[in-house]
Amino acid sequence: MKIQPINKFSVDYKRYIGAAVLFLLLVLVLVKCAGPVEPSEKPDGTEPTTQNESENSEDSQELPVLSGKVEKTKDEEVAALIAKVYRAYVGNDVRALEESYSVLSANEKSYIEVFSDYKEEYRNVECYALKLNENEYFVSPCYELKFYNVDTAAPGMDFFYLQRDDEGRLYVNSAYTTYNFNFMEQDLDAGVYSKILAYDKSEVVAALQQDVQSRYEAAVAGDEKLANLIGGTLRAVMTNWQNSISAGPSTEPDEDDTQGTEDTQGSDEPQGGDEPQGDDDPQGGDEPQGGDNPQGGEQTDPPVQNTTYRVRTVTNSRIRRSANVNSEQLGRAATGETFTAVGTEGEWTKIEFGGGIGYIRSDLIEKID
């Protein structure tokens, strides 16, 4: 039996995103928060099902009794897979996620790309797990997520459903990740769903959720930059990303690149977030500053600023064709790389790059002379 994409399931699980409620999935925590969450459109812009069509909540069914105990896992294979997933989240390593996930949609790829810009590191990861059998695990990693340019890490908690394939390889069933719980791109199995609800009600999981929630609230209350990032910047980024997805499919090829070749995901990238994981665009060059005079005369571009100075990146950074996060990505810069800056445009710095001009977010660089 399959549960079709249902609004009620999304509502049930959005209450677990307490630590990330202001920007939905970004911190990817599964901790409880009070009150229902209004349904949102699916990423493809289609309408969610109605409340009457989604009465599959824990209150309307008898939950199964799960054998085994939820405890901090000693299974190195489980811990290694979760660590690989988190490294891929931070590094926008789509290929590693495709190796680890059952399915990775184009929408989720663009989501990961956008929000990897802000994530520096998952720290102090501890995986609590329930081994259902030799081939299935429910795993709840608890962690601290360090964002770029913010001192305090945000405590968080995830959920993963791990299974083995026919060759014995452990992988993440992507239908039961936080992303799909919210956007419902994949159908859910009723049996698995009911087991997850029972797992959630276990004493250990409930205690973990409560602990993470408390530590998260303390972290946000104690660091204004973290609070502003979550409550302002990231919330806007999420809104822009959802709008870009709802606007329709990209006309660019649905390819990804995390190994140093040309980035072909540019048009999937939402309109928030910036800081790179892509490589040089072989066609990178100057961004037009105007155009031919429609009267056939000389170009009417404003004069280029002559003042130049050197800058250095303070973290991994994307370089864009223009001063817009939705602009084509020309390349990336690692922490500590230096460039010649030739001016600024809003919150962006204009730099010499690849024989032409590129733009980099000004908060990701520092002036060195």
Side-chain angles (χ1 to χ4, degrees):
M1 176 183 177
K2 294 274 187 173
I3 299 178
Q4 297 301 316
I6 51 174
N7 175 54
K8 177 58 178 172
F9 185 80
S10 180
V11 169
D12 284 342
Y13 269 86
K14 281 182 181 177
R15 66 190 174 86
Y16 293 99
I17 308 177
V21 69
L22 293 179
F23 53 103
L24 299 180
L25 311 177
L26 181 60
V27 184
L28 294 174
V29 292
L30 295 175
V31 292
K32 292 186 177 179
C33 66
V37 178
E38 289 298 320
S40 60
E41 288 185 348
K42 293 169 64 178
D44 60 6
T46 59
E47 292 293 330
T49 53
T50 65
Q51 183 71 31
N52 290 335
E53 294 173 320
S54 56
E55 294 299 326
N56 292 288
S57 69
E58 56 210 272
D59 299 327
S60 60
Q61 62 178 304
E62 183 178 345
L63 300 181
V65 176
L66 302 179
S67 60
K69 182 180 180 182
V70 181
E71 57 187 355
K72 188 174 178 180
T73 185
K74 298 179 181 179
D75 191 316
E76 294 182 0
E77 188 178 12
V78 170
L81 178 58
I82 299 303
K84 180 179 180 179
V85 167
Y86 284 155
R87 285 195 302 270
Y89 282 168
V90 168
N92 185 27
D93 190 344
V94 171
R95 290 179 181 172
L97 285 173
E98 287 179 325
E99 292 172 357
S100 305
Y101 274 37
S102 55
V103 176
L104 191 64
S105 70
N107 286 339
E108 189 167 3
K109 288 177 185 178
S110 72
Y111 168 84
I112 292 165
E113 179 184 6
V114 168
F115 290 106
S116 67
D117 292 352
Y118 296 88
K119 301 175 183 179
E120 181 176 355
E121 182 184 15
Y122 284 83
R123 298 176 175 175
N124 303 320
V125 179
E126 295 184 341
C127 293
Y128 291 82
L130 174 64
K131 185 175 182 179
L132 302 172
N133 52 57
E134 292 300 321
N135 299 313
E136 297 178 286
Y137 301 79
F138 287 163
V139 183
S140 293
C142 297
Y143 55 80
E144 294 177 347
L145 178 53
K146 174 68 171 59
F147 295 101
Y148 287 116
N149 303 320
V150 177
D151 293 335
T152 305
M157 181 178 175
D158 269 345
F159 172 83
F160 293 99
Y161 174 35
L162 307 186
Q163 293 180 286
R164 293 189 187 278
D165 61 18
D166 294 338
E167 299 178 354
R169 179 184 66 91
L170 203 62
Y171 69 92
V172 175
N173 187 323
S174 55
Y176 304 95
T177 59
T178 310
Y179 177 89
N180 197 56
F181 285 158
N182 281 266
F183 295 118
M184 303 304 295
E185 293 182 347
Q186 301 178 56
D187 293 351
L188 307 172
D189 180 88
V192 175
Y193 167 53
S194 61
K195 288 179 182 178
I196 291 173
L197 292 177
Y199 170 82
D200 167 63
K201 286 183 171 291
S202 70
E203 184 177 344
V204 173
V205 173
L208 288 172
Q209 292 167 349
Q210 200 168 40
D211 175 64
V212 171
Q213 180 71 46
S214 298
R215 291 190 292 112
Y216 170 82
E217 291 173 354
V220 171
D223 191 323
E224 185 177 0
K225 289 185 70 174
L226 178 62
N228 290 337
L229 177 72
I230 292 173
T233 302
L234 298 182
R235 186 171 186 175
V237 169
M238 173 58 75
T239 299
N240 289 335
W241 176 80
Q242 288 181 298
N243 290 340
S244 71
I245 295 301
S246 299
S250 168
T251 57
E252 296 287 330
D254 182 20
E255 299 175 7
D256 46 80
D257 181 295
T258 56
Q259 302 297 327
T261 58
E262 184 180 357
D263 180 8
T264 58
Q265 296 188 59
S267 60
D268 277 339
E269 180 174 357
Q271 303 178 14
D274 185 62
E275 165 211 312
Q277 302 296 334
D279 287 315
D280 294 352
D281 179 352
Q283 300 180 4
D286 291 346
E287 182 191 4
Q289 295 299 315
D292 294 338
N293 188 317
Q295 303 300 321
E298 295 183 355
Q299 207 168 350
T300 58
D301 294 349
V304 177
Q305 182 178 347
N306 293 323
T307 303
T308 63
Y309 53 96
R310 298 290 289 173
V311 295
R312 175 173 52 215
T313 56
V314 296
T315 186
N316 296 333
S317 310
R318 280 195 180 102
I319 300 170
R320 303 285 183 183
R321 184 175 293 281
S322 59
N324 188 307
V325 293
N326 203 36
S327 171
E328 179 184 358
Q329 179 177 303
L330 299 180
R332 65 177 179 181
T335 303
E337 285 196 49
T338 59
F339 299 92
T340 297
V342 296
T344 60
E345 186 172 325
E347 297 179 351
W348 296 76
T349 296
K350 190 174 181 180
I351 62 171
E352 295 178 355
F353 180 76
I357 295 296
Y359 290 81
I360 192 168
R361 262 179 30 205
S362 298
D363 63 323
L364 303 180
I365 59 175
E366 60 184 3
K367 188 175 181 180
I368 55 177
D369 62 26

